[in-house]
Amino acid sequence: MHLNPPSMVMFLISAVLAGAGVISKTIPLPFIGSSIEPHAMWVMLAAYLVLAFGCLLRGL
């Protein structure tokens, strides 16, 4: 298996998702979830998967 560096777009999408996940742990963001039902873990998982697919698939 050959890994490629992710494109800048994939990296930025992943960074924005990761940042939103980290920020939502302290400040409730309406599009991620409130403190009653947090979804920060799923947002962080999505950020990791976007970055992983960017490294695994050529041209993304």
Side-chain angles (χ1 to χ4, degrees):
M1 178 185 307
H2 181 71
L3 296 177
N4 302 307
S7 68
M8 184 59 76
V9 173
M10 293 298 278
F11 178 76
L12 290 177
I13 291 171
S14 175
V16 167
L17 283 173
V22 170
I23 290 172
S24 71
K25 291 301 284 184
T26 57
I27 301 169
L29 299 175
F31 56 91
I32 292 178
S34 64
S35 60
I36 298 170
E37 187 181 354
H39 298 291
M41 180 191 72
W42 296 111
V43 174
M44 293 296 289
L45 178 66
Y48 176 75
L49 290 175
V50 165
L51 190 60
F53 283 130
C55 290
L56 290 173
L57 301 174
R58 182 175 294 207
L60 285 182

